[in-house]
Amino acid sequence: MSRPELQAPPEIYYGDAEASKYTNNTRIQQIQADMTYRALELLNLPPGEPAFLLDIGCGSGLSGEILDEEGYVWVGVDVAPSMLEVALEREVEGDLFLQDIGQGFGFRPGSFDGAISISVLQWLLNAETSHPTSSPPHRLARFFTTLHSALRNPSRAVLQFYPTSDDQVQLITSIAQKAGFGGGVVVDYPNSKKARKVFLCLFVGDGRAASAAQQLPAALDGDGGAEGKDAKATFEKRRQRESRREKSGKQKVAKGGKDWILRKKELYRRRGKDDVPRDSKFTGRKRRAFF
Amino acid sequence: MVRLITHNLLACHAKGCTTNNYPLKFSNVKLALREADFNPDFLRGFLPRIEWDALVQASRERCSTTDLLKQLHHVLLETHIDEGSMTCPNCGHVYPISNGIPNMLLAEHEIG
């Protein structure tokens, strides 16, 4: 199936059905939670000071719940009313706004200690109408400039998103830089197809005022010793196991041969497929060569 | 669920509306009070960011002179606006609040 952002605008794609499906899916919950924790880690907020955060594209509050748990006070914005309804039902602590981030925020300058956004930015990359304010660069520019002013100096914004191409990453980072942000892209698990996650890590201010200079945090790559065992990308093990098995000489059954046909038929029977032909001495036999 | 803490940060973001666009005026408001955990550290960190005039205007002074932080906590974090609308004092744009969620969407010609 094609990517959701290519199917419909977010406020339509996340209708009532999709909103509850999304929120109740334990796999999505797990992934969202992992990414939220990682985003908080990248945000690098000073410990012991409860911060005031902005959750961009809060949806049904999957990430907001974690912010609650961690003791942050937060404000969430989202463009899909159905998702916000689910968030209301789940009784999240933060304030919710129905807002299109491509239209910009109206928050007073210096309002927030930081901003996170999980799987949202890719939704800004499609033009819904031909109006000039609907073009992705315009929407991105509006988003980043108003976000930049809404954040305190110094502070950070961590935005996780799913780019389809390097051009998209390029576009987003260049517009963010024009809006005054420093920082760049952190790619976790760059070598894993599934666990690979792109975080846009933006800094407001050069950090000279902060105790530690703002420098881009290191990405997780899955084989660093310092990160410990938990840092390994999921699914990496399975891939390794498979490649080991291939190397160990267990030959794959050649496609089209008798063994292959028998195995396939066996498989179909096990799956309960109708009319699988029965095995006989003629199954998969070589035909005589004719002229 | 608009708390006064967020209202205190909210300005109008319509196109060309750059002066006198804060604070948004409440009207037809239905208030709700929900208790929240008292968090003095957060409030202390937030104090410098509060716009006092706007807060006073919004809360119409429910004052006595006991513990300041406790009162701030009550006003900022426990006072929710469930229904009503917010109006920009400059351009007159009305942001309706329904079910505690303000609708901040703009029409095409209002996008800056």
Side-chain angles (χ1 to χ4, degrees):
Chain A
M1 201 148 79
S2 74
R3 299 164 67 105
E5 62 268 23
L6 300 178
Q7 293 174 34
E11 65 271 29
I12 293 169
Y13 180 80
Y14 289 115
D16 291 335
E18 194 63 31
S20 67
K21 233 196 296 179
Y22 188 92
T23 315
N24 295 326
N25 185 326
T26 47
R27 194 180 119 76
I28 290 179
Q29 284 173 4
Q30 183 59 42
I31 293 175
Q32 294 271 328
D34 287 347
M35 291 194 295
T36 311
Y37 281 121
R38 175 68 176 143
L40 281 176
E41 190 186 325
L42 291 174
L43 213 51
N44 197 19
L45 293 161
E49 289 171 37
F52 192 52
L53 299 182
L54 179 64
D55 187 353
I56 302 158
C58 60
S60 49
L62 288 177
S63 44
E65 236 168 31
I66 288 164
L67 297 182
D68 287 338
E69 272 171 30
E70 300 283 313
Y72 297 114
V73 181
W74 58 280
V75 171
V77 299
D78 204 289
V79 75
S82 306
M83 287 294 245
L84 291 175
E85 241 167 66
V86 178
L88 275 185
E89 280 165 24
R90 286 154 53 85
E91 296 184 336
V92 289
E93 295 275 325
D95 283 7
L96 304 169
F97 285 89
L98 178 67
Q99 189 159 26
D100 185 354
I101 57 170
Q103 297 177 349
F105 301 107
F107 295 111
R108 246 174 351 113
S111 299
F112 296 98
D113 297 314
I116 66 161
S117 149
I118 306 296
S119 316
V120 175
L121 272 191
Q122 71 268 16
W123 289 97
L124 283 181
L125 295 168
N126 302 303
E128 306 301 349
T129 68
S130 58
H131 197 270
T133 56
S134 182
S135 77
H138 184 275
R139 286 166 64 76
L140 283 169
R142 186 89 187 124
F143 167 65
F144 281 123
T145 42
T146 49
L147 175 65
H148 185 268
S149 72
L151 290 173
R152 245 169 53 148
N153 185 357
S155 65
R156 287 185 184 193
V158 177
L159 308 113
Q160 183 275 330
F161 67 112
Y162 294 107
T164 36
S165 64
D166 284 346
D167 286 348
Q168 289 190 343
V169 180
Q170 188 71 37
L171 177 75
I172 288 175
T173 44
S174 69
I175 292 176
Q177 270 165 11
K178 265 185 221 156
F181 281 109
V185 174
V186 177
V187 183
D188 279 357
Y189 310 118
N191 301 322
S192 167
K193 221 173 185 178
K194 275 194 168 157
R196 181 188 150 97
K197 292 284 177 297
V198 179
F199 289 89
L200 187 62
C201 203
L202 299 174
F203 307 143
V204 178
D206 58 5
R208 246 172 273 159
S211 53
Q214 302 252 43
Q215 51 178 333
L216 211 54
L220 304 177
D221 54 9
D223 50 29
E227 295 152 7
K229 268 181 198 160
D230 292 340
K232 269 213 148 180
T234 352
F235 304 110
E236 202 70 347
K237 240 185 194 159
R238 192 176 67 187
R239 220 184 55 196
Q240 277 174 3
R241 204 186 319 129
E242 274 165 13
S243 70
R244 214 178 305 137
R245 197 176 55 196
E246 270 163 34
K247 271 182 219 153
S248 72
K250 209 177 178 189
Q251 293 297 316
K252 263 193 167 175
V253 187
K255 193 179 172 184
K258 186 172 179 180
D259 287 342
W260 181 79
I261 293 173
L262 285 173
R263 227 181 43 159
K264 280 278 179 196
K265 286 163 84 169
E266 188 53 45
L267 187 71
Y268 289 147
R269 274 185 212 112
R270 244 187 293 136
R271 286 186 188 158
K273 198 178 177 223
D274 292 338
D275 45 74
V276 180
R278 61 193 172 84
D279 300 335
S280 71
K281 61 176 181 181
F282 301 110
T283 305
R285 85 193 144 120
K286 278 265 183 308
R287 304 244 178 210
R288 195 150 46 87
F290 289 101
F291 293 108
Chain B
M1 286 208 319
V2 194
R3 289 172 295 189
L4 289 187
I5 188 171
T6 26
H7 172 259
N8 201 262
L9 300 171
L10 208 59
C12 177
H13 64 298
K15 185 181 190 178
C17 192
T18 47
T19 50
N20 187 29
N21 59 353
Y22 173 87
L24 301 175
K25 264 200 197 80
F26 281 121
S27 50
N28 307 324
V29 165
K30 205 174 93 190
L31 275 177
L33 294 177
R34 270 174 230 129
E35 290 206 2
D37 297 332
F38 180 54
N39 191 341
D41 290 339
F42 171 75
L43 281 173
R44 253 178 234 121
F46 196 78
L47 274 180
R49 273 177 270 172
I50 296 176
E51 188 60 50
W52 286 101
D53 293 345
L55 183 65
V56 170
Q57 197 180 325
S59 60
R60 301 247 188 289
E61 292 192 81
R62 44 177 81 232
C63 228
S64 64
T65 47
T66 46
D67 194 1
L68 174 72
L69 283 181
K70 274 260 163 62
Q71 282 178 35
L72 266 179
H73 170 72
H74 176 73
V75 172
L76 285 174
L77 295 165
E78 290 186 338
T79 315
H80 297 251
I81 317 305
D82 270 353
E83 303 282 338
S85 60
M86 298 183 288
T87 316
C88 170
N90 184 33
C91 67
H93 190 287
V94 180
Y95 300 99
I97 305 172
S98 75
N99 227 342
I101 298 178
N103 183 342
M104 306 299 288
L105 299 178
L106 300 172
E108 213 168 52
H109 65 278
E110 292 170 319
I111 302 170

